[in-house]
Amino acid sequence: MSDLEAFRAEARAWLDENAPDGVRGMKADELNGVWGGKRCEFEHPDQKVWLERMGAKGWTAPTWPAEYGGGGLSKEEAKVLSQEMKALDLPPALIGFGLTMIGPTLLRFGNEDQKQQHLPKIIRGEIRWCQGYSEPGAGSDLASLQTKAERDGDEFIINGTKVWTSYADQADWIFALVRNDNSGIKQEGITFILIDMDDPGVKVSPILLISGKSPFCETHFTDVRVPVENVIHEIGAGWTVAKALLGHERTMIADTFGSSSGGTRKPGERSFLSTLAVERVGERDGKISDPVIRDDVARMEMETKAFGLTTQRTADAAKAGHQPGPESSMFKLYGTELNKTRMELMVRILGPDALGWEGDGFDEFALDTTRDWLRSRGNSIEGGTSEVQLNVIAKRVLGLPA
């Protein structure tokens, strides 16, 4: 038996023995599952047990170094672990920006004290993070940010406002870009800094979207004093850190759309979209009765399957410690358009049932679909607009002149 086969047997036995019954079969992706943190609420008590056991084992972050509490696995072992979890129908014990964005960034740019302070807590799900990039006047043009950081001895005094900070009202820490110098070009004088959300002067205001629900918030900083030791990399060199982290964010978004594209199913089983179409439109001779809907469902299934398999390779590589490249912009661009098309198709399948907003006459699924369709319109804006992704692809993938 090879070392990898031995590890597979060991992993399978450990997972089978330690996975509580309540988490088996539960679904989770990059944005849907247990995020951890001090305000964490579990849908099922077994999720807490699962998180504690996987965190103690280091398998919430299987390839992160063991000295920080990670699993210390090779990328081949991590792939085997992922395969065994799927075989046992087990969800990730932990998701969130700690694992997908700030953790990999700390491993690359953080100093030893910063790694020791934050990485073990991320792995055990003890802290939840949000991202402080966009501002009211600096969204797609991120380098125009104006949240000010003024040096005062061993501290920075932070003043400004961040917007579209996902789950800021539930986060314990925020990783943020702040401007410490206006004298150079706009990409200079930016610092990447970590801020405790419990610090005096931090205020969070939820934002309600047209869909009627939202994870987004405005985050205000008024004379917030942050130790200089919370700066990641170098003062004024935050743009380098920010670009690296954006690659992780785009990979995460693409992975989310890939994993929501229909998932795996056994041969002969109908997909979710096919089942929905049969239920709502009807069936004739074993096929969806409306030929236009039938063609569109088939096309969507082929595109989403191909996209899911492609992004899975990149997501697996990222989880194994590889830094994302410009392909993350290609996936983000394609995935957002695919998700918008999928939601439009679902609304077409529902027909008049998709016209409801609340009240009697519409079932809960139809109401949720309508709201999710409205929410999907923002997919090509959040995480960097499609226009920004096209610029990245033109310059870094195709090599076109700026």
Side-chain angles (χ1 to χ4, degrees):
M1 179 181 291
S2 69
D3 291 345
L4 208 54
E5 289 172 335
F7 173 76
R8 183 183 296 278
E10 174 193 335
R12 184 187 304 134
W14 190 91
L15 290 170
D16 202 29
E17 181 179 351
N18 287 277
D21 291 339
V23 303
R24 295 175 189 259
M26 294 187 77
K27 301 301 180 188
D29 57 36
E30 295 288 352
L31 292 177
N32 179 27
V34 175
W35 285 65
K38 290 183 289 189
R39 302 167 181 81
C40 183
E41 295 181 359
F42 298 92
E43 293 180 14
H44 191 287
D46 279 355
Q47 289 178 304
K48 185 173 186 295
V49 176
W50 184 225
L51 173 57
E52 290 172 349
R53 291 176 180 175
M54 286 287 279
K57 186 78 171 173
W59 283 1
T60 53
T63 61
W64 289 13
E67 61 261 39
Y68 306 124
L73 302 183
S74 67
K75 58 183 180 182
E76 292 82 9
E77 290 171 331
K79 185 175 181 179
V80 167
L81 176 63
S82 177
Q83 292 170 343
E84 290 304 312
M85 289 179 65
K86 288 177 181 175
L88 292 172
D89 209 11
L90 298 172
L94 181 68
I95 63 169
F97 301 159
L99 289 175
T100 57
M101 291 201 281
I102 187 61
T105 303
L106 284 171
L107 283 169
R108 181 176 177 184
F109 293 101
N111 60 39
E112 187 60 25
D113 288 344
Q114 292 164 343
K115 293 176 184 176
Q116 292 288 354
Q117 179 183 358
H118 296 293
L119 293 178
K121 293 179 180 177
I122 292 174
I123 292 165
R124 296 192 296 265
E126 295 173 356
I127 51 175
R128 180 169 179 168
W129 293 80
C130 61
Q131 180 189 45
Y133 273 25
S134 296
E135 297 185 3
S140 297
D141 186 13
L142 182 58
S144 296
L145 65 91
Q146 293 299 318
T147 294
K148 187 181 298 182
E150 293 180 290
R151 184 77 179 261
D152 182 21
D154 293 333
E155 295 178 322
F156 277 113
I157 303 175
I158 311 292
N159 281 284
T161 298
K162 297 292 179 179
V163 71
W164 311 121
T165 38
S166 303
Y167 308 108
D169 53 343
Q170 301 172 50
D172 305 304
W173 283 74
I174 183 171
F175 47 92
L177 294 175
V178 295
R179 182 164 294 285
N180 63 288
D181 187 352
N182 273 311
S183 62
I185 62 173
K186 60 184 182 180
Q187 287 82 9
E188 297 175 347
I190 293 174
T191 293
F192 190 105
I193 197 166
L194 310 181
I195 305 171
D196 189 332
M197 295 294 281
D198 288 333
D199 281 345
V202 179
K203 180 182 177 183
V204 175
S205 305
I207 300 172
L208 191 62
L209 297 185
I210 190 174
S211 62
K213 54 187 177 182
S214 167
F216 298 119
C217 302
E218 272 193 326
T219 306
H220 309 278
F221 302 95
T222 304
D223 294 331
V224 179
R225 303 187 76 90
V226 182
V228 172
E229 63 190 24
N230 285 15
V231 171
I232 303 301
H233 196 37
E234 299 174 8
I235 295 172
W239 192 245
T240 299
V241 185
K243 288 191 297 182
L245 187 141
L246 281 173
H248 292 291
E249 180 186 26
R250 289 163 188 163
T251 299
M252 178 197 69
I253 293 174
D255 187 35
T256 299
F257 291 133
S259 62
S260 66
S261 302
T264 57
R265 55 191 168 92
K266 298 176 182 177
E269 283 186 347
R270 276 197 166 124
S271 70
F272 170 74
L273 271 180
S274 294
T275 303
L276 178 67
V278 167
E279 290 176 352
R280 300 283 177 156
V281 178
E283 185 178 19
R284 183 183 305 158
D285 300 329
K287 301 176 181 177
I288 299 167
S289 60
D290 186 317
V292 176
I293 293 290
R294 185 168 67 236
D295 286 351
D296 288 346
V297 168
R299 185 179 299 107
M300 176 58 64
E301 288 193 6
M302 288 188 287
E303 292 182 0
T304 54
K305 183 68 174 178
F307 181 67
L309 292 172
T310 303
T311 56
Q312 187 60 52
R313 289 200 298 271
T314 300
D316 287 344
K319 290 172 182 173
H322 290 279
Q323 299 300 321
E327 71 275 6
S328 59
S329 289
M330 298 167 58
F331 295 152
K332 200 276 179 180
L333 175 71
Y334 189 82
T336 53
E337 295 302 323
L338 196 63
N339 195 52
K340 289 164 65 177
T341 304
R342 181 186 305 111
M343 294 309 306
E344 288 167 2
L345 177 56
M346 289 179 65
V347 168
R348 285 173 49 211
I349 291 172
L350 290 178
D353 288 343
L355 296 175
W357 183 253
E358 61 183 5
D360 298 333
F362 300 96
D363 61 50
E364 185 177 350
F365 175 79
L367 294 174
D368 285 343
T369 300
T370 302
R371 292 169 183 264
D372 289 344
W373 167 68
L374 288 167
R375 170 67 183 84
S376 73
R377 314 313 295 169
N379 291 161
S380 49
I381 299 174
E382 60 197 334
T385 65
S386 291
E387 288 75 14
V388 168
Q389 309 311 321
L390 287 169
N391 276 334
V392 173
I393 295 167
K395 288 190 288 187
R396 298 183 59 195
V397 177
L398 301 178
L400 298 177

